[in-house]
Amino acid sequence: MSLLHRASFFTSAARLDQLPAPGAPEVCFVGRSNAGKSTAINVLTNQRRLAFSSKTPGRTRLINMFGLPDPYDPDHPLGFLVDLPGYGYAAISQSERDKWAELLGGYLATRASLVGVVLLIDIRRGVTDLDRRLADFIAPTGRPVLALLTKADKLPYGQRTRTVFAVRKDLADIGALHTVPFSAPDRIGLEEAGEHIENWISPKVAP
């Protein structure tokens, strides 16, 4: 069984000071609203509703942590998957958007146990201004990034490949960047993404 399939809800936090003290490795998922973040978490963990997927963009306003239990010590998580609030939904107040930006930026810049970032980008849109803004939060941290180009089933193979190269170029300032076309319904990129995340959490688990 994949390590990710053992994920279970651990805690939610509305502010950084509500998070548990840094400890076990954390991999966070970040993306603009409606980029398919919750769907990606659910398919990677092989669970239907671990992460709440809303048809209303911007609904998730909390940091949600999912624990990955250590098979040798179930009481202490081996690591965490962290679902950050979707960024940039327009139909909320500017002050609310500023709070989200502060929360996201603060977590990405200061969280000591963060070992990798999964950045979700809609492959049909490429790197939008909002994606670029998220990348600007991430790049100075030097943390490795897995860019999942979601909804890859919507593009033919040739166009999909060209978009991967374009995204790599647009995000070249993120040093350790790995780009994977991804589709939850068609399971495109699922195995590659899962192994990449597992290797961040526990290099002894994944080759």
Side-chain angles (χ1 to χ4, degrees):
M1 176 190 286
S2 166
L3 170 66
L4 304 185
H5 292 182
R6 303 189 186 107
S8 61
F9 177 76
F10 185 78
T11 192
S12 291
R15 302 191 314 267
L16 296 178
D17 60 6
Q18 294 174 340
L19 291 172
E26 297 174 18
V27 172
C28 75
F29 288 71
V30 63
R32 66 171 187 78
S33 297
N34 213 28
K37 186 162 48 67
S38 298
T39 302
I41 293 173
N42 288 337
V43 73
L44 285 164
T45 59
N46 198 34
Q47 299 185 47
R48 299 188 72 170
R49 288 186 62 81
L50 179 66
F52 179 71
S53 180
S54 173
K55 292 182 179 179
T56 304
R59 184 75 177 272
T60 304
R61 303 191 183 192
L62 299 173
I63 295 175
N64 293 308
M65 299 183 69
F66 308 105
L68 302 169
D70 186 333
Y72 303 105
D73 187 3
D75 293 332
H76 296 89
L78 191 65
F80 295 97
L81 304 179
V82 182
D83 184 9
L84 297 178
Y87 183 72
Y89 183 50
I92 58 171
S93 68
Q94 182 62 48
S95 63
E96 193 73 17
R97 288 201 295 274
D98 290 343
K99 287 180 186 176
W100 287 10
E102 183 178 351
L103 186 69
L104 289 166
Y107 177 87
L108 291 167
T110 66
R111 188 68 175 170
S113 46
L114 180 61
V115 296
V117 179
V118 181
L119 173 62
L120 291 100
I121 295 173
D122 187 331
I123 197 169
R124 301 168 301 177
R125 298 172 181 263
V127 178
T128 66
D129 289 343
L130 287 174
D131 296 322
R132 182 64 256 173
R133 203 172 303 172
L134 283 170
D136 289 342
F137 283 136
I138 298 166
T141 71
R143 292 187 171 97
V145 174
L146 172 64
L148 290 189
L149 307 189
T150 62
K151 306 177 186 178
D153 56 296
K154 305 295 185 184
L155 295 183
Y157 180 78
Q159 189 176 354
R160 194 187 304 165
T161 303
R162 289 192 296 273
T163 304
V164 168
F165 282 112
V167 169
R168 285 177 185 160
K169 182 178 179 181
D170 289 344
L171 300 180
D173 58 317
I174 297 178
L177 176 68
H178 188 72
T179 310
V180 177
F182 189 84
S183 167
D186 288 10
R187 305 181 76 82
I188 297 170
L190 180 59
E191 183 175 351
E192 183 178 357
E195 288 183 356
H196 205 85
I197 295 167
E198 284 186 10
N199 202 46
W200 277 339
I201 295 286
S202 179
K204 68 180 181 293
V205 173

